[in-house]
Amino acid sequence: MSLALPILDDQPQRPTFARGPRSLDAVKLLRISLTDRCNLRCLYCMPDEGMTFAPSDDVLSADHVVAVAAAARSAGVTHFKLTGGEPTLRTDLEDIVRRLAALKPVELSMTTNGLKLGRGGLAQRLAHAGLDRVTVSLDALDEPTFAQVTGGRGFKLADVWRGLDAAQAAGLGRLKLNVVVIGGVNNDQVAQFAALTHTRPWTVRFIEYMPLGESHLTHRGADAFTVDNADIRAAITAEHGPLEPLTRDDEPGVGPAEIYRLRVNGAPAPGRLGFISAMSQPFCETCNRLRLTATGQLRACLFDGGEVDLMPTLRTTDPRDLASNPSALQALMATCVSQKPEVHSGRGNRAMSQLGG
Ligand code: SAM
Ligand code: SF4
């Protein structure tokens, strides 16, 4: 397993960009974190103990979420992604989905751990409210590894499968599965995950673990847990044969994954494989996103750099005025994007649960 990651070099050599990703025109996706709370404690996302969450008074209201999304939409943002923490913990999720769908984005999607999708008809209700698609995070295909990766919170793998089935039955788009590969924990399951695409029209995406914030893994010498996606591709090829590269044209969303397909009995498999290689092959020069944290900060980068606080503006302006005059929020968005680093640092100051992935 190669762990020689270019991003960890002292002097990474990357293309420089003067505008491109630093222009608001380049932003196509707003990732909206609805809460920093979660019902799981994934090893790569949160520490075992001592996790502190934002007081509820500091978390964006539905009105504020909609105001920021509307400003982004009129600045040319086409895609919204709901995330967290765990977005399904928000009791006003359906209402938020309905109001964001009314802004007529090209796509409104959500990333979730899937546990609640299969309960109380949630997947169906969200589809009804206007959600187009979900991505479900799942890092293990057996119960002991699932319990290990998710921090032993008592949930079962079957709860996630029930959520996936419900999402599919509700017509929530072509499903994507996010798999964070962790060296020594679940890297022996990548071929099994890839085999899901033999029978299902899903995109299974392998994500290189990124050392962000304080988590179980960062507390244990994070670098040792990142597995280079080239090694994952090699393991899949050894088990299932060659990977056929595909263009992104037919892939939902505007994500950074490189897309491939396997063959099954000589025919193209119905599903696809995606590889998100932020550590071994940073794609900063093609970045097309902004992130809104649950407490109202805009972030240009997952790692360090580019944070602009919207709260002073949101707290002091009537939401109706924000809706009729989005220029103040758009100026803050442009400032945030202008702060994108040339290439991301090797270590991020905030956890994914705070940034929304
Ligand atoms: N709770 C939801 C979920 O797990 O899908 C949404 C929020 S989660 C922060 C968004 C995505 O970030 C998930 O797919 C998760 O696996 C991924 N993620 C979290 N921490 C990560 C890390 N340190 N490195 C790579 N991916 C990470
Ligand atoms: Fe929760 Fe998602 Fe973080 Fe796991 S990755 S702890 S499900 S926010």
Side-chain angles (χ1 to χ4, degrees), residues 5-18:
L5 301 170
I7 193 62
L8 303 178
D9 291 349
D10 288 342
Q11 301 268 310
Q13 296 291 308
R14 295 285 154 197
T16 57
F17 45 83

Side-chain angles (χ1 to χ4, degrees), residues 37-42 44-46 84-86 113 137 353:
R37 291 170 193 265
C38 190
N39 39 5
L40 295 182
R41 295 288 181 276
C42 299
Y44 46 73
C45 187
M46 293 195 185
E86 179 45 44
N113 60 31
S137 300
S353 59

Side-chain angles (χ1 to χ4, degrees), residues 31 38 42 44-45 82-87 111-113 135-137 139 178-180 207-212 215 352-354 356-357:
R31 294 186 66 100
C38 190
C42 299
Y44 46 73
C45 187
L82 300 176
T83 174
E86 179 45 44
T111 300
T112 169
N113 60 31
T135 296
V136 174
S137 300
D139 307 310
N178 275 357
V179 185
V180 178
I207 303 177
E208 287 176 351
Y209 159 66
M210 294 170 256
L212 300 174
S215 73
M352 282 281 209
S353 59
Q354 293 166 315

Side-chain angles (χ1 to χ4, degrees), residues 217-250:
L217 296 188
T218 55
H219 291 169
R220 276 161 191 74
D223 300 347
F225 298 105
T226 301
V227 182
D228 191 321
N229 262 339
D231 295 321
I232 298 171
R233 278 194 289 273
I236 293 170
T237 304
E239 185 78 20
H240 299 297
L243 288 162
E244 184 187 336
L246 299 178
T247 64
R248 278 201 55 90
D249 298 352
D250 195 25

Side-chain angles (χ1 to χ4, degrees), residues 78-258:
T78 50
H79 290 60
F80 297 138
K81 164 80 79 188
L82 300 176
T83 174
E86 179 45 44
T88 59
L89 298 187
R90 269 295 279 242
T91 50
D92 54 358
L93 178 60
E94 237 178 295
D95 177 47
I96 292 174
V97 166
R98 192 168 297 109
R99 293 173 67 185
L100 294 181
L103 300 174
K104 306 231 174 300
V106 171
E107 186 185 66
L108 173 59
S109 62
M110 178 173 80
T111 300
T112 169
N113 60 31
L115 291 171
K116 294 186 85 175
L117 285 177
R119 296 199 207 142
L122 181 64
Q124 193 72 51
R125 286 189 281 119
L126 292 176
H128 239 252
L131 190 69
D132 295 312
R133 185 171 63 77
V134 288
T135 296
V136 174
S137 300
L138 178 63
D139 307 310
L141 291 172
D142 68 79
E143 232 30 280
T145 314
F146 179 78
Q148 183 191 1
V149 175
T150 57
R153 306 287 285 186
F155 291 99
K156 297 282 175 227
L157 202 47
D159 298 321
V160 184
W161 284 113
R162 191 178 316 120
L164 281 160
D165 289 342
Q168 194 150 282
L172 282 171
R174 222 168 52 208
L175 291 180
K176 294 186 186 179
L177 217 59
N178 275 357
V179 185
V180 178
V181 181
I182 314 162
V185 176
N186 64 353
N187 56 320
D188 56 344
Q189 304 197 1
V190 294
Q192 246 182 301
F193 270 108
L196 295 174
T197 68
H198 283 166
T199 52
R200 295 168 173 84
W202 301 350
T203 304
V204 177
R205 308 193 310 168
F206 298 97
I207 303 177
E208 287 176 351
Y209 159 66
M210 294 170 256
L212 300 174
E214 301 292 320
S215 73
H216 178 96
L217 296 188
T218 55
H219 291 169
R220 276 161 191 74
D223 300 347
F225 298 105
T226 301
V227 182
D228 191 321
N229 262 339
D231 295 321
I232 298 171
R233 278 194 289 273
I236 293 170
T237 304
E239 185 78 20
H240 299 297
L243 288 162
E244 184 187 336
L246 299 178
T247 64
R248 278 201 55 90
D249 298 352
D250 195 25
E251 189 64 15
V254 287
E258 287 176 25

Side-chain angles (χ1 to χ4, degrees), residues 47-64:
D48 304 325
E49 286 167 17
M51 188 70 198
T52 51
F53 298 105
S56 47
D57 281 354
D58 291 351
V59 174
L60 288 174
S61 65
D63 282 347
H64 284 156

